């Protein structure tokens, strides 16, 4: 995207959002963030205009949307693992509030709406690997269903009102500013344990495989997807490689140069055995390629994790 824009990043103080904000600022855009909380790991940026509030506060949202060209929607009020505990909350706080957001975007004549969906959950148990964008979508958690539903509403708003939208489906992103004490992001959680001198807990036999994408590569993919003219509106963004938990632990040990203690626990029924995204479309249409090796990404993330664990 060469033209300088007024951009609103919803959820811009989170892990992915904060990196996206950095990139948009570096590209010379005027950036506004709407988020419930300040950033956890650093002070607010002087170049960014922050609007604090809950996603459900439509008055505040209306103000945040004023004079905005492009909206990036990264707010999610739920997580894959816990979303099934309260699906009604999930639907209300994500789907319904996103529909109100779309209504406000139409009213304020937003030129583009970018939604960060989920490549790890919306396909469910894949029939085959790698998983392309047109593969069946059978999410096995409420989080995946709400992501998919929002995608469908974006298509509907395009059909009814001409809303210009773009959807990215990241696999499993990792990198600095991801919470090592959280319940998602195996690499962050594992490195948090290692940095704190605790054993890594592996549920099951370690064969569960995921497609890990380094945060800088993901942000590059998002920016290219938005800035490249294309007929496609949905892009998988992953590494295109499936790495088992056992392999991941080996890579972590190799990268940090020490033996990693592992504790095995019973497998969890909700873990889809393997995810590997087909990233051919993003490669072909965006000229994008994930550049960071897992070893290099783990190593650079470990520096962040050590300082985060030390200061907690
Ligand atoms: N991290 C992943 O593994 C992953 C993978 C695929 C897709 N995604 C999606 O990418 C987006 C960003 O994920 P992330 O990992 O950066 O999450 P995150 O939790 O780090 O960031 C989300 C941000 O949204 C804000 N937020 C949450 N609820 C809010 C509310 N009610 N009102 C206002 N702000 C609210 C939080 O304060 C936070 O700053 C989410 O939509 C997520 O579903 C994440």
């Amino acid at each position: 995207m060469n033209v300088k824009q007024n951009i609103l990043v919803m959820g811009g103080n989170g892990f992915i959002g904060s990196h996206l904000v950095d990139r948009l600022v570096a590209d010379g855009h005027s950036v506004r963030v709407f988020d419930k909380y300040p950033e956890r790991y650093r002070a607010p940026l002087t170049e960014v205009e922050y609007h604090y509030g809950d996603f459900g506060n439509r008055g505040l949202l209306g103000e945040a949307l004023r004079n905005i060209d492009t909206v990036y929607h990264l707010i999610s009020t739920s997580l894959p693992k816990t979303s099934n505990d309260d699906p009604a909350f999930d639907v209300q706080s994500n789907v319904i509030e996103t529909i109100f957001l779309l209504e406000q975007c139409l009213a304020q004549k937003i030129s583009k709406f970018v939604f960060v969906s989920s490549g790890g959950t919306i396909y469910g148990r894949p029939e085959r690997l790698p998983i392309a964008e047109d593969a069946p979508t059978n999410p096995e958690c409420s989080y995946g269903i709400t992501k998919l539903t929002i995608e469908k509403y974006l298509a509907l708003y395009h059909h009814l009102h001409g809303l210009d939208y773009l959807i990215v489906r990241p696999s499993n992103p990792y990198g600095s500013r991801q919470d090592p004490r959280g319940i998602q992001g195996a690499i962050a959680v594992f490195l948090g344990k290692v940095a704190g001198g605790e054993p890594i807990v592996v549920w099951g036999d370690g064969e569960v495989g995921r497609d890990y994408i380094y945060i800088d590569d993901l942000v590059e993919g998002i920016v290219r997807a938005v800035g490249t003219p294309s007929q496609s509106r949905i892009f998988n963004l992953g590494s295109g490689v499936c790495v088992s938990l056992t392999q991941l632990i080996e890579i972590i040990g190799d990268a940090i140069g020490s033996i990693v203690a592992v504790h095995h626990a019973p497998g969890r029924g909700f873990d889809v055995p393997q995810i590997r995204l087909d990233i051919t479309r993003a490669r072909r249409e965006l000229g994008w390629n994930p550049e960071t090796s897992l070893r290099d990404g783990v190593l650079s993330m470990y520096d962040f994790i050590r300082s985060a664990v030390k200061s907690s």
Side-chain angles (χ1 to χ4, degrees), residues 20-312:
L20 179 63
V21 163
D22 285 352
R23 173 60 186 268
L24 295 171
V25 167
D27 286 351
H29 299 294
S30 175
V31 179
R32 193 178 290 164
V33 162
F34 184 92
D35 204 298
K36 202 170 176 175
Y37 303 111
E39 264 195 53
R40 186 188 297 225
Y41 296 108
R42 60 177 186 176
L45 305 179
T46 50
E47 306 92 326
V48 173
E49 184 185 317
Y50 293 92
H51 290 227
Y52 292 104
D54 191 276
F55 188 29
N57 188 326
R58 294 169 202 156
L60 289 179
L61 257 188
E63 282 168 35
L65 281 165
R66 206 161 289 154
N67 299 322
I68 289 295
D69 302 306
T70 297
V71 173
Y72 290 76
H73 178 19
L74 289 92
I75 289 180
S76 174
T77 65
S78 64
L79 291 171
K81 286 188 183 66
T82 50
S83 60
N84 293 342
D85 297 346
D86 194 349
F89 169 77
D90 197 12
V91 171
Q92 174 64 46
S93 58
N94 287 307
V95 179
I96 307 289
E97 294 309 333
T98 298
I99 292 171
F100 279 107
L101 171 63
L102 293 180
E103 289 292 335
Q104 297 212 37
C105 287
L106 290 180
Q108 301 222 23
K109 303 204 173 1
I110 298 299
S111 11
K112 190 149 198 149
F113 191 94
V114 182
F115 179 55
V116 178
S117 182
S118 164
T121 62
I122 72 158
Y123 300 109
R125 227 157 265 262
E127 285 174 6
R128 64 182 63 87
L129 296 175
I131 312 166
E133 287 86 348
D134 57 1
T137 44
N138 296 301
E140 293 190 353
C141 58
S142 176
Y143 169 95
I145 294 174
T146 60
K147 288 286 190 194
L148 188 57
T149 309
I150 292 169
E151 290 194 6
K152 298 289 181 197
Y153 274 102
L154 289 173
L156 178 69
Y157 272 62
H158 170 69
H159 176 67
L160 294 178
H161 309 291
L163 178 80
D164 187 8
Y165 72 95
L166 181 99
I167 293 163
V168 292
R169 295 175 175 168
S171 55
N172 288 73
Y174 70 99
S176 62
R177 300 183 218 136
Q178 191 172 26
D179 185 4
R181 289 161 301 253
I183 57 166
Q184 78 162 0
I187 297 182
V189 174
F190 285 5
L191 289 177
K193 294 284 183 205
V194 172
E198 295 173 50
I200 288 174
V201 179
V202 172
W203 283 284
D205 59 7
E207 287 310 301
V208 165
R210 293 290 175 264
D211 174 331
Y212 298 101
I213 174 100
Y214 189 59
I215 187 67
D216 292 357
D217 290 327
L218 173 60
V219 167
E220 178 67 29
I222 297 173
V223 167
R224 282 193 190 217
V226 175
T228 310
S230 164
Q231 290 301 310
S232 303
R233 291 191 181 273
I234 302 181
F235 289 96
N236 279 343
L237 295 176
S239 65
V241 176
C242 181
V243 174
S244 73
L245 291 174
T246 304
Q247 289 171 322
L248 174 61
I249 290 165
E250 274 170 26
I251 290 168
I252 289 175
D254 178 53
I256 66 174
S258 85
I259 292 168
V260 174
V262 178
H263 171 76
H264 281 275
R268 305 176 301 180
F270 57 81
D271 277 325
V272 172
Q274 293 197 321
I275 297 284
R276 176 158 74 92
L277 296 185
D278 186 337
I279 54 172
T280 306
R281 180 183 288 177
R283 279 197 165 118
R284 192 180 53 227
E285 297 186 21
L286 310 177
W288 171 81
N289 205 37
E291 305 284 351
T292 313
S293 72
L294 190 49
R295 190 183 185 283
D296 288 351
V298 161
L299 205 49
S300 88
M301 187 175 181
Y302 191 50
D303 287 338
F304 159 77
I305 295 279
R306 272 193 299 191
S307 59
V309 167
K310 212 182 291 168
S311 61
S312 65

